[in-house]
Structures are given as structure tokens and as C-alpha cells.
Amino acid sequence: MSHAYAVLPAARALTPVLPILPVLAVIALLALPVAPGSEGGASLADAASGVVVLCCAIRLLRQRRRPLSRTAVVVLGLPVAGFAVAAAGAITPGAALTGFARWLQIFVLVPAAVLLLVRDRRDVRLLAWSVVALAVWQGAVGVHQYATGTGASYMGQEIRAVGTFGPADVMGMATVVSFGLVCAVGLALAAGSVRQRVWALVCTVLLVVPLAVSFSRGAWIATAVACGAQLVLAGLRRAVAAGAVVAAVTVILVGGFGVGSTLLQERVSSIGQVGDAPDQSVTDRYTMWAAAAGMWREQPLTGVGFKGFPEHRDGHASLALSSGSDIEGAGTEYRKQPLLSPHNMYLLVLSEQGIIGLLTLAGSWLALLVLGLRRLTRARRARDPGNAPTPESSLDCGLIACGLLIWQLINFAYADIGGPTTVLTAISLGLTAWWALSAPLEVRS
């Protein structure tokens, strides 16, 4: 009997977070190490995202309520048309089925499930803090790899921070840390309590280091733009003050302590080296971009179908393309990893799904951004002195939601989907959808 009484308080503590517990489980599973040789296959986090969709469906059946508004159905369901066209044009039935299921999972089903499972801003803040905690963990592993020379190979040294994702997914840790930074900045700018703001600011400063030593140029650019947008959206005075703090921290870390200063300078300078002796990774990227554009020109409306880029790559790529990227370090022996995507989401969609797929998918994202920014403007207006408090008087959720989407839209110019962190992209889209599409009366403090 005493054991039963001991369990009751724990059950009561879990009750408020029970609806979003499956989403929290997905985030937690991303902290586990990726097994060597499992690249490209389904991960535990992918399986957990399926549980999120299932739990959402069960909840809707039990409550017997209309799941989504008409606007939400149109915005989230728009990409399905492009996916169907791409599936019809796939080379094999297997590629059509797996491609359609994967894209539907990431860009429709999981975001819709998160939108429906999140009830109020307390849930959003809990999910945001969970992402920050995951980013701090992965960042700590990455900084340890950099400091001890046990990371992925970079410039002949095993110093590239990759967290638990391994050298085959060098963008994994950078993506998680970037999401954590965006969430921390949003919480620091508009959180309710002073203690929460202080902790969010501390996490923001800490996460700058692993992002720097990830040597991910795309993540740097996307994070700088997204956090800068958050600062501006929070208010000009706050933007200037926070910008000064970030600049000071950057100078101290890079200039004062020399956190990878030489290598970082070389990596930053390589961003613009397109025609003037670029490194091989830049050459490969632009060569694959040109190949994707060539596929689109051949099939402008529908593209070459799901999984079609690897099959058509060699027929459109120039001789400048290497045989693959070098994989080494972080417990993995040297090998070549084939280049199977253009590392640009927009060009991947354009090449495999054509202009129909790009317009439907990008149109959905643009609608989320416009609706989210419009709601954020109303939330800022509600905070102005002289206005009575409203259900939308807090900015933190809006800053987090819009910041995550802005980060994703910028980063998609340098990366595409793939790897375990893809489900984190789906969750971030779900948070943005909740902010942009949920009814005002459903937003509670």
C-alpha cells in the first residue's frame, strides 16, 4: 500500500505534461548515441515520432472534436499535393512509398500532431527548455571532442564537434545546438520570470562555443540571422543591448581565449570562396546545386521523383564533383561517404518534385511565417504600456516559433533533411504551426 501512495504524487506531477510527453520523449531520444553504420536508416526518434502521431489520433478520437481549423488544414495539407506528384514520378514503387511516407511524416503529420497536442504556452516553454537541455548536452559532448581531439576529422585534425551523432552526420549537433540557441534567445528576451531569463541567457552564452567548433558555415549563418530577427522583433532597444552582449562574449571567447580562432577565420573566409580557390566541400556543393538545377530543367513541373537525385546526379554533374566526402574520427574509421543530395533543400525539392512541389511546400512555410509574424505583432502591441493584458501578452512563444522557422528557412539554403535530427525539424514546424494557426482563446499563460 505504501508503494501505491508513493506512486500517486509522481502520477499527479506527470498529469499536466501527459499530452506532450510523447513529444518530450522524441527530444530525449536524440540525446542517445547514434550506432555506427546506422546512417540513413530509421532511428528511435523516428519511431517515437510515429507514437506522437498515434497518441494525437487517439486523443482526438476520445475527445471527439474537430482536429484542425480550415486554415490549418490548407496550410499544413498543401504540401501533400506536391508529395503525391513526386511519388507518381518515382523510379520504383519502393522509392515512391518510402519517399511519400517520409516527407508526409516530417512536413505534415508530426507538425500537425504537435500543433494539436500543445495546449498552451506552458507546454511551448517546456518543449523549448527541453530543446535547450538537449543542445547543452550535445554541445558539452562536442566541446569535449574539440578539446581532447576526439571529434570528427577537420583539416587533418580530429577536432570537429559532432556530439553523439558521429562524423557521418556532421550537421546533427550543429542543428540541435542552433535550435537550442534560438529557443534560449526567445526565452531570454520575453520570459515571465527573472530567474528564467537569467538561465536562458546563461544557456545562450554557453551554446555559442559548441556552435563555433562545429565548423558548420550554414548553421552559423542561419543562427545569426534567426537570433538577429528575434532581437529586432522583441524591440529595438533590447536588440541593441543584447547585440552588444553577444559581440562582447564573441570577442572574449574567440579573441581573448582563442577558441579555434585561426580555424574559425579560415572557415568563415571560405564561405565566399566560390570562384577564388574554394575548398573541395564548396566545389562539391556548387557542383551538386548545378546538377539539381539541370534535373529541374529537364522535368520542370514534376521533377525526377522521390529518391531520383542520386540516380540522375552523375548525368548532370561536372567532373569537378569528387567521389564523396571524407568520413573519419569520433570513433569511426576513414571511409568515403557518397554525395546523395544537393545539400540545399530548395534545390532538392525542385529537382525531385519540380515547381509544383516547391510551390506547395515553400508556400506552406511562407504562410506559417506570415501568420506567425502577424500574431507576434499583435502580441507586442498587447505588451505596450496602457494596454490591458490579453491572452497574447507574452512574446516568448512567438519569438521561439518565428525564430525556429526563420532558422530553418535560412539553413535550408545550405542543407536538406536527413539524419536523426530531421524529427526535430518536424517538431519545430509544429511549434510554429501552433503559434501561427491556433485560436487566440486557446493561448493561456
Side-chain angles (χ1 to χ4, degrees), residues 3-18 21:
H3 292 293
Y5 282 116
V7 171
L8 283 176
R12 291 195 190 99
L14 283 176
T15 300
V17 300
L18 201 56
L21 203 56

Side-chain angles (χ1 to χ4, degrees), residues 21 30 129 157 180 328 344 377 390:
L21 203 56
L30 290 173
W129 276 115
Q157 306 176 60
E328 189 178 14
N344 180 302
T377 302
T390 71

Side-chain angles (χ1 to χ4, degrees), residues 261-429:
S261 54
T262 303
L263 291 174
L264 286 174
Q265 289 172 9
E266 293 177 358
R267 191 65 165 170
V268 170
S269 63
S270 69
I271 294 174
Q273 292 176 343
V274 181
D276 183 19
D279 60 38
Q280 187 58 47
S281 64
V282 173
T283 300
D284 286 341
R285 178 160 303 189
Y286 282 93
T287 302
M288 289 189 294
W289 288 7
M295 296 176 203
W296 169 69
R297 283 191 292 269
E298 285 189 1
Q299 299 285 341
L301 284 180
T302 60
V304 295
F306 282 133
K307 311 289 186 181
F309 181 86
E311 298 293 331
H312 293 81
R313 182 200 62 189
D314 292 341
H316 294 83
S318 69
L319 295 177
L321 184 67
S322 66
S323 59
S325 58
D326 297 334
I327 300 298
E328 189 178 14
T332 301
E333 295 182 356
Y334 174 82
R335 62 184 175 88
K336 283 280 187 180
Q337 180 171 271
L339 303 172
L340 303 178
S341 73
H343 296 296
N344 180 302
M345 187 66 178
Y346 305 107
L347 288 174
L348 176 64
V349 174
L350 200 60
S351 63
E352 293 191 346
Q353 302 179 36
I355 196 67
I356 295 175
L358 183 62
L359 287 178
T360 54
L361 190 56
S364 174
W365 298 336
L366 184 60
L368 287 177
L369 182 61
V370 171
L371 293 172
L373 291 175
R374 187 176 69 175
R375 189 166 191 177
L376 186 57
T377 302
R378 294 203 307 265
R380 278 193 59 189
R381 198 179 301 131
R383 285 177 57 95
D384 290 341
N387 289 347
T390 71
E392 293 184 295
S393 59
S394 180
L395 289 174
D396 52 352
C397 296
L399 292 173
I400 291 168
C402 293
L404 287 172
L405 183 57
I406 291 170
W407 186 92
Q408 200 66 77
L409 294 179
I410 300 297
N411 187 66
F412 274 159
Y414 304 92
D416 46 49
I417 60 172
T421 55
T422 301
V423 293
L424 200 58
T425 297
I427 292 174
S428 73
L429 289 173

Side-chain angles (χ1 to χ4, degrees), residues 12-399:
R12 291 195 190 99
L14 283 176
T15 300
V17 300
L18 201 56
I20 62 166
L21 203 56
V23 187
L24 293 172
V26 175
I27 297 172
L29 287 171
L30 290 173
L32 300 178
V34 175
S38 63
E39 296 85 6
S43 65
L44 286 175
D46 285 314
S49 71
V51 176
V52 170
V53 176
L54 180 62
C55 289
C56 178
I58 292 173
R59 184 177 177 224
L60 292 176
L61 290 173
R62 291 182 61 184
Q63 294 182 349
R64 296 182 180 179
R65 65 183 179 90
R66 189 178 69 178
L68 295 170
S69 67
R70 277 177 290 195
T71 303
V73 170
V74 171
V75 172
L76 292 178
L78 189 61
V80 178
F83 300 161
V85 171
I91 298 175
T92 64
L97 181 61
T98 58
F100 184 80
R102 179 63 166 167
W103 286 70
L104 194 68
Q105 170 204 6
I106 299 304
F107 296 110
V108 179
L109 295 180
V110 174
V114 173
L115 163 62
L116 293 166
L117 292 175
V118 170
R119 298 158 300 170
D120 51 43
R121 287 182 296 199
R122 287 169 295 187
D123 287 350
V124 174
R125 289 167 184 156
L126 180 57
L127 290 174
W129 276 115
S130 301
V131 173
V132 172
L134 174 65
V136 170
W137 160 248
Q138 291 289 354
V141 175
V143 171
H144 178 266
Q145 291 170 336
Y146 171 80
T148 59
T150 55
S153 178
Y154 176 75
M155 302 287 287
Q157 306 176 60
E158 295 185 356
I159 58 171
R160 188 169 191 176
V162 293
T164 64
F165 298 103
D169 186 14
V170 293
M171 279 295 296
M173 189 213 73
T175 299
V176 169
V177 171
S178 298
F179 278 158
L181 256 170
V182 171
C183 290
V185 169
L187 292 164
L189 288 173
S193 67
V194 174
R195 184 175 65 176
Q196 185 164 275
R197 288 186 183 185
V198 171
W199 277 111
L201 184 59
V202 169
C203 291
T204 300
V205 173
L206 291 176
L207 290 173
V208 170
V209 179
L211 181 63
V213 295
S214 70
F215 297 104
S216 176
R217 294 167 291 202
W220 293 346
I221 295 170
T223 304
V225 173
C227 292
Q230 286 178 302
L231 293 173
V232 173
L233 291 170
L236 192 56
R237 275 191 310 177
R238 195 171 295 175
V240 172
V245 172
V246 172
V249 170
T250 303
V251 169
I252 292 172
L253 289 176
V254 178
F257 293 105
V259 179
S261 54
T262 303
L263 291 174
L264 286 174
Q265 289 172 9
E266 293 177 358
R267 191 65 165 170
V268 170
S269 63
S270 69
I271 294 174
Q273 292 176 343
V274 181
D276 183 19
D279 60 38
Q280 187 58 47
S281 64
V282 173
T283 300
D284 286 341
R285 178 160 303 189
Y286 282 93
T287 302
M288 289 189 294
W289 288 7
M295 296 176 203
W296 169 69
R297 283 191 292 269
E298 285 189 1
Q299 299 285 341
L301 284 180
T302 60
V304 295
F306 282 133
K307 311 289 186 181
F309 181 86
E311 298 293 331
H312 293 81
R313 182 200 62 189
D314 292 341
H316 294 83
S318 69
L319 295 177
L321 184 67
S322 66
S323 59
S325 58
D326 297 334
I327 300 298
E328 189 178 14
T332 301
E333 295 182 356
Y334 174 82
R335 62 184 175 88
K336 283 280 187 180
Q337 180 171 271
L339 303 172
L340 303 178
S341 73
H343 296 296
N344 180 302
M345 187 66 178
Y346 305 107
L347 288 174
L348 176 64
V349 174
L350 200 60
S351 63
E352 293 191 346
Q353 302 179 36
I355 196 67
I356 295 175
L358 183 62
L359 287 178
T360 54
L361 190 56
S364 174
W365 298 336
L366 184 60
L368 287 177
L369 182 61
V370 171
L371 293 172
L373 291 175
R374 187 176 69 175
R375 189 166 191 177
L376 186 57
T377 302
R378 294 203 307 265
R380 278 193 59 189
R381 198 179 301 131
R383 285 177 57 95
D384 290 341
N387 289 347
T390 71
E392 293 184 295
S393 59
S394 180
L395 289 174
D396 52 352
C397 296
L399 292 173

